[in-house]
Amino acid sequence: MEIYPDSALLLLNQLSHPETFCEQQRADYALLLTQARDKNYLDSLQSDSLIELAVNYYRNSKDKVKAGKSLFYYGKVMSMHDNDTVAMQAYLEAREKLENTKEYKLQALLQHYIARLSDDRGMYDVALGHYRKSIYYSRKADYTLGIVYSYRNIAWIHQIKHNIDSAGWYAKAGISLLEGDSLSPVYPSLLHFLGELEKKKGNYAEAITYFSSAIKCERIPHAIPYYYMSLGDTYMQLGQLAKAKDCFEKLLDSEDVFTRSGAYNYLYQCEKLEADYRKALYYKEKSDSLLRVYQDRNLRDKMSDLQHRHEVENLQMENKLLEYKTRSQLYWAAFLFCLLIIFGLVSYSWIKKQYRRIYRKRLKAHVDKSLRIIKENEQIIGQYIYQIEMLKQEESLIAEAAKEQIAKLNQRIQVLVSENKKIREDPCVGGIYILEQLKQNLLIAENMTQKEKSQVFAYMDLFFGDFVSRLKEEYGLNDNNLMLSVLVKLGFSSTELMSVFQCKMNSILKKKQRLRSELSLDKSVDLAAFLTSYSCRMST
């Protein structure tokens, strides 16, 4: 499993009729098959119902190692299905099971995945603590690659927190631990990370060297486009537009729609810099079109996955109910069958003797009873017919009253709707309302109308001393940069900006960098601090 996971998977797949195994064998088979699929990167074949067999068997057993291992892989499968809450619970329970064992490598992986979930939720200090624990266990297990992955992720967090020197130290420390092993899967990502750091510092030549080395060393095809994006952007910053376009054109055949959209967007920027506005407009339209396709497909995939999960859960529940119902029916059928046989044997002789004597008596009683019931039913039917007629008369009166009430309510609704519309037309109220929608992820910046943007800008000018008008007059900012300035000034976090602009963290950092360039800010000046002081100065 550890040295030749592909052979392990082949052997497991050759086992016939695993459903006939005993309970412990099925649990071991489920754990080994999940582990083999994970080590062979077969995420699409992972099933939570398979690993649940191992979890349910070992959770309360004395074998803490298999209990912890099964919970660890259950957490990975649930995380793959975007159920991070259940994944975190599984990881924490696995950590508790393995606490006093010598499974240091597995404990290092657990701390690493707990840190990643914390990192995804923006809990960076918590994530740093778990990454350091992962490094501790990796050293005890002599697991160098685990240390390098933790160093890389710590470097990412320091970059997000703008601790550039610390980020660079951890990235270089990770590369030194690999000792020039360019075949390691983490090596190209570290080179790419260092390239991004050098690009931010303005050391474009060093950045190009790192990006080029990352492209040469990368063995995972879907990671290479990100490196070409960074390399092309660096050439564009240097003004070497021909080389930049060559990098971006390599990505136009990518199967990933989002990658192609990004490549067309960069080509649009290059053509705009060369003043070829016809090509620039063409590339911009291609980029926007592909971005909409990507967003629609992503939404459909999420809905399909949610529907599939719901159907699987329903099917599992139905299977359990059907199994329980089948068993209950079987038991009751057996009981009743035995009871009927006993009753039949005892009663047969007595019934045979009494049958002829009581037959005529029962027939007469049955006829009398039937005639009496018919007469009573005819009387009840007459009463019901009378009640129905009365109810029909009452129903017509109630319907008229209900129509009047509905008409009054509709009039009140129209009055309130008109009142809300008048209130929202006020620039201040409209601006606050739109900003709240942006904050709550109910509105995307690129979908805003010009009227909505104007209301936001008017609100900022009114309450912050012509903040937007002065920025536009002094620095010539366009609407996109003005909107970014407003959101940064109002304290929107990078995560919230990702939701507002529907892009990744790298894009947000690039937007902020371009805004800094437009504002002619030095590297030592913080963007948010500048916009705050600028606003205060205007108010004064």
Side-chain angles (χ1 to χ4, degrees):
M1 184 65 71
E2 294 296 329
I3 302 174
Y4 303 110
D6 53 341
S7 299
L9 181 62
L10 179 63
L11 289 171
L12 288 166
N13 287 331
Q14 289 177 351
L15 294 175
S16 59
H17 305 294
E19 66 275 5
T20 61
F21 296 168
C22 69
E23 189 174 7
Q24 182 176 353
Q25 289 175 337
R26 279 186 295 170
D28 287 336
Y29 173 80
L31 177 57
L32 289 170
L33 184 57
T34 302
Q35 189 176 358
R37 288 174 178 175
D38 179 73
K39 289 184 178 293
N40 285 279
Y41 307 104
L42 298 176
D43 293 341
S44 61
L45 298 179
Q46 295 289 16
S47 170
D48 54 344
S49 59
L50 177 67
I51 189 61
E52 275 182 348
L53 291 173
V55 172
N56 293 333
Y57 182 82
Y58 286 112
R59 176 173 267 153
N60 298 319
S61 70
K62 294 181 180 179
D63 195 336
K64 300 296 183 183
V65 173
K66 286 188 177 179
K69 188 175 292 186
S70 60
L71 284 164
F72 166 71
Y73 281 105
Y74 179 68
K76 288 195 70 175
V77 172
M78 297 311 294
S79 181
M80 181 187 67
H81 291 306
D82 296 327
N83 197 341
D84 291 342
T85 301
V86 176
M88 178 65 83
Q89 292 173 351
Y91 289 148
L92 294 175
E93 189 177 353
R95 183 183 66 176
E96 183 179 350
K97 297 285 185 184
L98 298 170
E99 188 171 5
N100 296 320
T101 68
K102 293 185 179 181
E103 291 290 323
Y104 300 126
K105 182 177 179 180
L106 188 55
Q107 292 184 70
L109 290 172
L110 271 170
Q111 295 291 346
H112 187 88
Y113 281 103
I114 292 172
R116 283 179 59 180
L117 289 178
S118 301
D119 189 356
D120 291 340
R121 297 180 180 182
M123 302 165 62
Y124 300 123
D125 293 331
V126 175
L128 286 173
H130 287 294
Y131 281 132
R132 293 188 180 101
K133 290 180 181 178
S134 178
I135 293 170
Y136 166 78
Y137 285 116
S138 295
R139 284 173 177 159
K140 296 192 73 171
D142 197 21
Y143 181 40
T144 303
L145 194 59
I147 298 174
V148 175
Y149 274 111
S150 295
Y151 275 172
R152 183 194 66 180
N153 294 348
I154 290 174
W156 282 346
I157 292 177
H158 280 300
Q159 182 193 31
I160 293 172
K161 298 176 73 173
H162 304 293
N163 299 328
I164 304 302
D165 293 335
S166 298
W169 185 91
Y170 278 104
K172 291 176 182 177
I175 288 180
S176 65
L177 285 175
L178 293 173
E179 298 178 348
D181 183 12
S182 60
L183 296 177
S184 174
V186 72
Y187 186 78
S189 64
L190 287 170
L191 291 174
H192 177 255
F193 181 83
L194 287 171
E196 288 291 345
L197 290 182
E198 294 299 332
K199 187 173 71 172
K200 288 182 180 180
K201 294 177 182 178
N203 300 328
Y204 298 119
E206 290 83 354
I208 290 172
T209 301
Y210 280 123
F211 294 145
S212 300
S213 300
I215 292 171
K216 292 177 182 178
C217 298
E218 185 59 75
R219 296 294 181 270
I220 303 175
H222 69 261
I224 295 177
Y226 295 101
Y227 305 159
Y228 272 117
M229 287 278 192
S230 299
L231 180 61
D233 182 61
T234 307
Y235 281 130
M236 194 167 65
Q237 297 292 336
L238 285 171
Q240 300 179 17
L241 300 182
K243 292 183 178 180
K245 288 193 289 185
D246 182 64
C247 292
F248 299 140
E249 287 172 354
K250 293 179 184 296
L251 308 178
L252 297 181
D253 295 329
S254 173
E255 295 180 358
D256 184 64
V257 178
F258 189 78
T259 300
R260 296 205 307 273
S261 174
Y264 277 118
N265 186 59
Y266 273 115
L267 288 170
Y268 149 73
Q269 296 179 33
C270 289
E271 297 299 339
K272 191 168 69 170
L273 291 173
E274 290 183 341
D276 191 345
Y277 298 110
R278 183 181 61 82
K279 283 187 178 180
L281 182 60
Y282 168 76
Y283 288 137
K284 179 62 177 173
E285 290 175 350
K286 292 284 289 184
S287 174
D288 293 344
S289 175
L290 288 170
L291 185 60
R292 285 192 294 270
V293 170
Y294 170 79
Q295 292 172 344
D296 293 341
R297 181 182 298 174
N298 191 35
L299 180 60
R300 286 196 303 271
D301 290 343
K302 288 182 178 179
M303 292 178 65
S304 177
D305 181 64
L306 183 63
Q307 184 178 2
H308 175 69
R309 253 190 286 171
H310 180 68
E311 290 174 352
V312 169
E313 290 174 357
N314 286 342
L315 183 59
Q316 291 175 346
M317 182 62 69
E318 288 174 0
N319 288 337
K320 290 180 180 179
L321 290 174
L322 182 60
E323 183 180 359
Y324 175 79
K325 186 177 180 180
T326 303
R327 288 181 180 177
S328 299
Q329 290 176 347
L330 182 61
Y331 293 147
W332 276 107
F335 173 77
L336 290 174
F337 180 75
C338 295
L339 187 63
L340 286 171
I341 290 175
I342 296 171
F343 180 78
L345 292 174
V346 173
S347 304
Y348 177 76
S349 60
W350 183 83
I351 293 173
K352 188 176 181 180
K353 293 178 182 178
Q354 299 295 326
Y355 179 77
R356 289 183 179 180
R357 185 174 62 86
I358 64 175
Y359 176 75
R360 291 181 179 178
K361 183 178 179 180
R362 286 185 176 179
L363 181 59
K364 184 179 183 301
H366 175 70
V367 171
D368 294 338
K369 183 179 179 181
S370 298
L371 292 173
R372 187 176 66 253
I373 291 173
I374 290 172
K375 185 176 181 180
E376 291 174 354
N377 287 344
E378 287 177 349
Q379 292 177 354
I380 294 173
I381 289 171
Q383 294 175 1
Y384 284 169
I385 292 172
Y386 174 76
Q387 291 177 4
I388 288 171
E389 293 298 327
M390 295 299 294
L391 287 173
K392 286 182 178 179
Q393 295 178 6
E394 293 178 1
E395 184 180 357
S396 61
L397 295 175
I398 293 172
E400 290 297 326
K403 288 181 180 178
E404 293 179 2
Q405 186 67 20
I406 290 170
K408 290 180 180 179
L409 291 174
N410 283 330
Q411 290 178 357
R412 293 179 184 177
I413 289 171
Q414 292 298 325
V415 171
L416 293 175
V417 169
S418 300
E419 185 177 354
N420 284 346
K421 183 177 180 181
K422 290 180 180 179
I423 293 172
R424 287 176 183 166
E425 287 177 353
D426 181 51
C428 295
V429 176
I432 295 173
Y433 174 76
I434 294 167
L435 288 170
E436 286 179 352
Q437 285 192 312
L438 291 170
K439 191 77 172 179
Q440 297 172 7
N441 297 332
L442 300 176
L443 183 62
I444 301 172
E446 68 175 12
N447 294 338
M448 291 175 63
T449 64
Q450 190 59 43
K451 181 179 179 181
E452 290 173 334
K453 292 180 181 179
S454 300
Q455 287 180 325
V456 173
F457 294 159
Y459 165 76
M460 295 299 294
D461 279 347
L462 183 62
F463 284 90
F464 297 97
D466 293 334
F467 175 79
V468 174
S469 298
R470 293 294 298 272
L471 280 177
K472 188 171 183 180
E473 180 181 351
E474 294 183 13
Y475 298 101
L477 299 184
N478 59 25
D479 286 353
N480 290 334
N481 282 330
L482 288 173
M483 184 59 65
L484 179 59
S485 301
V486 168
L487 298 179
V488 171
K489 183 254 177 296
L490 293 175
F492 276 59
S493 67
S494 297
T495 303
E496 290 171 332
L497 291 174
M498 288 169 59
S499 299
V500 170
F501 291 100
Q502 290 288 288
C503 61
K504 296 186 177 180
M505 181 61 69
N506 287 341
S507 298
I508 294 300
L509 296 175
K510 290 175 184 177
K511 288 179 182 293
K512 289 185 176 181
Q513 183 61 38
R514 288 195 291 270
L515 179 58
R516 291 173 60 88
S517 300
E518 293 290 336
L519 297 174
S520 303
L521 298 181
D522 293 333
K523 298 177 182 178
S524 59
V525 179
D526 184 73
L527 177 61
F530 170 79
L531 292 173
T532 302
S533 63
Y534 182 85
S535 175
C536 293
R537 190 165 60 247
M538 292 307 99
S539 299
T540 307

